[in-house]
């Protein structure tokens, strides 16, 4: 059995859904289907998830929602009409949309999560209805019924292990095809919570692990995962095969094509992942596989940069001799519920790198104030302009000279580095640069290792 997940661009129009259905029906093993909400149909278009966020905000602010509801409904209606699905059937989508503000939510965060999740929830219902209308046996399954349980923040949830016990008891084998909405699960108190943006990939991986799929096929809008983001490098080389670890490090730093958290269930279940193009399913795409037995073809597999970081730089003489220095910083971060990403240090200096999504201006001021008072550094500097570039490859393991091959061309291109981190992971080198240099760093490194 295979789990197949289709991203938003693969389901944005009736014609795209038809192509997805051709892919599903071409292989009887494609039994578990996971769908995203309809995505962008063209540049400048708005994803249904973003329309739902607008709908949620209008509801919270007591504003008129009629126009937004109609805009969202028309996205589904157009897809339904493409398949001549009767209005009688499509109208359930409108009813569910209109009902959203009438439900009870513990607070606005839960309201936002529930509204957002309906992009996927309504799409899975619609696609199951279309399949039945076309004579394809299929059934919509809600995460409540399957027991996809989550904990954590309502808009940044994590899967709860109970999910796997629930899925073990769910007899998927007796159905021809099941259509699951991606992106969300149910909290212990019975409310909807979503994963972070792009999180339908995570649902696919959870189901692949829970049902012991032999393959997780992830259909998107590119032929493969490329060695660099195609929006940054022209015509980058496709990656044929890569390891889970390589993908995790690259998706963390910007390979948005596959969600970094989605790798964890796949690794736990040792499920191979195949990222493929919905519009060219005959192409091999990229296989993401376990490390064992993997033979790298190149020194580096890919290079990526993420621009969503900022850093706190602290300088204090004899910092290396002061027991408990780091612990006191971590205490302050924990008190404010702020996770840190990395903490490279020298003898008198330490940088703490954060993901911006966990911060706001007020929190930054509070953190800096407490650290200044409790730690008393000689210098404290908040660096808002911070990017991380990751150069990743199993081929770098135990390889002498890999760092020199990376650093020299960056110096030649006058890119100044705020941080270099190698060692903790044997398969990657992490560089800190200014945001404006991040794309250039990717281009320089790509050309050094691939274009030559
Ligand atoms: N290294 C990469 N290889 C392929 N695509 C990439 C890479 N880095 C970023 N992308 C972007 O990821 C996009 C696909 O991801 P996403 O839009 O989330 O897909 P989906 O809607 O199918 O989930 C591609 O269109 C491409 O612009
Ligand atoms: N629709 C959600 C979840 C998702 O995974 O979407 P996509 O597969 O289109 O990236 C989002 O936009 O975040």
């Amino acid at each position: 059995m295979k789990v197949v997940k289709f991203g938003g661009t693969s389901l944005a129009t009736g014609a795209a859904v038809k192509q997805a259905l051709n892919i599903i029906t071409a292989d009887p093993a494609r039994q578990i289907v996971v769908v995203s909400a309809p995505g962008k149909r063209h540049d400048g278009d708005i994803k249904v998830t973003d329309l739902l966020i607008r709908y949620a905000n209008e509801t919270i602010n007591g504003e008129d929602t009629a126009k937004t509801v109609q805009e969202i409904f028309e996205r589904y209606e157009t897809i339904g009409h493409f398949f001549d699905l009767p209005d009688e059937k499509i109208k359930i989508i409108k009813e569910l949309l209109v009902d959203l503000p009438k439900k009870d939510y513990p607070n606005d965060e839960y309201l936002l999560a529930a509204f957002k999740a309906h992009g996927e929830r309504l799409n899975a219902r619609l696609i199951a209805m279309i399949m039945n209308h076309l004579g394809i046996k299929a059934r919509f399954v809600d995460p409540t019924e399957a027991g996809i349980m989550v904990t954590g923040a309502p808009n940044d949830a994590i899967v709860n292990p109970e999910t796997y016990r629930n899925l073990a008891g769910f007899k998927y084998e007796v159905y021809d095809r099941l259509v699951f909405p991606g992106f969300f699960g149910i909290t212990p108190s019975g409310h909807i919570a979503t994963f972070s943006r792009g999180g339908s990939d995570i649902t696919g991986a959870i189901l692949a692990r829970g049902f012991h799929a032999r393959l997780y096929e992830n259909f998107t809008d590119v032929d493969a995962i490329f060695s660099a983001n195609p929006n940054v490098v022209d015509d980058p080389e496709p990656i044929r095969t890569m390891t889970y670890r390589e993908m995790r490090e690259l998706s963390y730093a910007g390979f948005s094509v596959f969600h970094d958290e989605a790798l964890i269930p796949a690794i736990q279940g040792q499920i191979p992942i195949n990222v493929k193009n919905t519009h060219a399913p005959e192409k091999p795409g990229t296989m993401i596989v376990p490390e064992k037995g993997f033979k790298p073809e190149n020194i580096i597999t890919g290079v990526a940069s993420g621009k969503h970081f900022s850093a706190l730089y602290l300088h204090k003489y004899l910092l290396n001799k002061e027991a408990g220095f780091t612990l006191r910083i971590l205490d302050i971060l924990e008190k404010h519920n702020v996770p840190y990403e990395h903490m490279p240090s020298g003898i008198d200096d330490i940088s703490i790198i954060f993901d911006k999504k966990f911060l706001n201006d007020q929190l930054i001021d509070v953190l800096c104030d407490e650290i200044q008072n409790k730690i008393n550094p000689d210098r404290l500097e908040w660096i808002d302009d911070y990017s991380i570039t990751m150069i990743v490859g199993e081929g770098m393991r135990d390889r002498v000279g890999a760092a020199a091959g990376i650093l020299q061309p960056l110096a030649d291109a006058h890119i100044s580095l705020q941080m270099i981190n190698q060692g903790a992971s044997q398969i990657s080198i992490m560089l800190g640069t200014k945001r404006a240099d991040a794309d250039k760093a990717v281009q320089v490194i790509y050309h050094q290792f691939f274009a030559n």
Side-chain angles (χ1 to χ4, degrees):
M1 184 275 287
K2 298 177 185 173
V3 170
V4 275
K5 179 257 169 178
F6 292 90
T9 42
S10 304
L11 302 168
T13 63
V17 172
K18 184 163 180 250
Q19 175 62 11
L21 295 182
N22 288 341
I23 291 171
I24 295 166
T25 50
D27 183 350
R30 290 179 176 139
Q31 241 178 313
I32 307 292
V33 180
V34 179
V35 299
S36 287
K40 291 186 184 183
R41 294 160 290 186
H42 47 77
D43 273 355
D45 196 16
I46 308 176
K47 287 175 115 180
V48 164
T49 309
D50 292 303
L51 293 174
L52 285 158
I53 293 172
R54 191 208 291 166
Y55 181 24
N57 287 329
E58 286 169 352
T59 304
I60 292 166
N61 297 331
E63 293 164 6
D64 185 16
T65 59
K67 214 169 136 265
T68 303
V69 169
Q70 189 55 25
E71 204 177 326
I72 298 168
F73 174 62
E74 280 172 9
R75 295 293 311 267
Y76 295 99
E77 191 183 38
T78 313
I79 295 170
H81 283 169
F82 181 93
F83 294 95
D84 296 324
L85 193 67
D87 283 332
E88 200 41 39
K89 295 215 158 126
I90 303 176
K91 80 170 197 248
I92 178 83
I93 305 285
K94 179 79 172 265
E95 287 163 8
L96 290 165
L97 265 177
V98 170
D99 275 352
L100 277 175
K102 298 176 195 153
K103 301 257 169 11
D104 277 336
Y105 305 101
N107 60 39
D108 289 348
E109 284 292 293
Y110 283 91
L111 179 150
L112 175 64
F115 276 53
K116 261 164 54 197
H118 275 74
E120 277 60 18
R121 201 181 211 181
L122 300 179
N123 212 24
R125 281 188 89 116
L126 179 73
I127 287 172
M129 282 195 287
I130 291 171
M131 289 168 90
N132 292 331
H133 179 68
L134 298 176
I136 306 164
K137 275 197 194 155
R139 183 171 164 261
F140 162 77
V141 185
D142 198 78
T144 320
E145 183 190 348
I148 302 180
M149 304 303 294
V150 294
T151 50
N155 291 281
D156 194 7
I158 45 173
V159 67
N160 187 316
E162 192 190 336
T163 298
Y164 298 110
R165 288 193 288 277
N166 296 340
L167 291 177
F170 189 96
K171 296 275 161 260
Y172 76 86
E173 303 89 335
V174 301
Y175 303 100
D176 285 4
R177 319 241 181 219
L178 295 174
V179 186
F180 286 81
F183 195 35
F184 71 97
I186 308 299
T187 67
S189 63
H191 291 279
I192 285 177
T194 72
F195 300 118
S196 57
R197 291 298 302 266
S200 296
D201 288 340
I202 304 175
T203 307
I206 292 168
L207 294 175
R209 177 185 163 189
F211 292 145
H212 306 284
R214 74 179 149 85
L215 185 65
Y216 173 20
E217 291 179 310
N218 192 285
F219 282 92
T220 182
D221 63 346
V222 280
D223 284 347
I225 298 173
F226 300 108
S227 295
N229 184 338
N231 303 313
V232 176
V233 167
D234 286 337
D235 203 16
E237 278 192 29
I239 301 169
R240 289 280 157 251
T241 310
M242 65 198 301
T243 64
Y244 294 131
R245 279 189 58 185
E246 287 177 323
M247 188 60 207
R248 185 151 159 73
E249 301 213 17
L250 287 164
S251 58
Y252 169 80
F255 274 26
S256 55
V257 60
F258 193 76
H259 200 298
D260 64 328
E261 291 171 39
L263 284 153
I264 297 161
I267 294 169
Q268 288 164 336
Q270 293 287 288
I271 317 285
I273 304 162
N274 192 189
V275 175
K276 285 174 80 100
N277 192 345
T278 305
H279 304 290
E282 68 291 349
K283 295 199 172 155
T286 299
M287 285 298 299
I288 310 173
V289 299
E291 286 78 39
K292 201 162 171 276
F294 176 77
K295 297 238 177 337
E297 282 174 26
N298 298 313
I299 303 173
I300 77 160
T301 299
V303 51
S305 68
K307 298 179 182 148
H308 52 286
F309 298 98
S310 46
L312 177 66
Y313 168 76
L314 301 173
H315 174 84
K316 190 171 189 187
Y317 285 115
L318 302 175
L319 178 154
N320 58 332
K321 297 227 161 108
E322 207 177 298
F325 179 87
T326 329
L327 181 64
R328 278 182 285 139
I329 297 176
L330 294 179
D331 267 346
I332 296 171
L333 297 182
E334 191 196 11
K335 187 174 120 196
H336 295 285
N337 206 15
V338 176
Y340 77 92
E341 303 293 307
H342 314 283
M343 204 185 284
S345 65
I347 44 171
D348 295 325
D349 313 82
I350 190 160
S351 290
I352 308 157
I353 298 161
F354 301 94
D355 187 325
K356 276 171 168 285
K357 77 176 177 188
F358 298 111
L359 295 165
N360 57 51
D361 286 351
Q362 196 191 344
L363 195 50
I364 292 169
D365 286 346
V366 171
L367 289 177
C368 290
D369 187 53
E370 283 192 30
I371 289 174
Q372 184 63 54
N373 286 329
K374 295 211 175 107
I375 315 272
N376 199 23
D378 302 323
R379 194 167 141 208
L380 177 153
E381 192 187 337
W382 185 263
I383 308 165
D384 190 54
D385 181 356
Y386 207 94
S387 283
I388 288 184
T389 298
M390 300 278 285
I391 303 102
V392 179
E394 295 280 352
M396 291 201 304
R397 209 185 275 276
D398 304 324
R399 182 146 192 144
V400 178
I406 291 164
L407 300 182
Q408 190 57 50
L410 291 173
D412 294 344
H414 306 291
I415 295 173
S416 84
L417 301 179
Q418 302 180 344
M419 179 266 290
I420 303 171
N421 188 0
Q422 188 196 11
S425 157
Q426 295 171 330
I427 66 152
S428 70
I429 293 180
M430 185 187 290
L431 307 174
T433 68
K434 285 199 175 298
R435 217 161 284 142
D437 284 336
D439 287 350
K440 198 164 160 210
V442 168
Q443 289 155 359
V444 165
I445 293 164
Y446 179 82
H447 285 287
Q448 172 74 12
F449 284 90
F450 291 94
N452 295 331

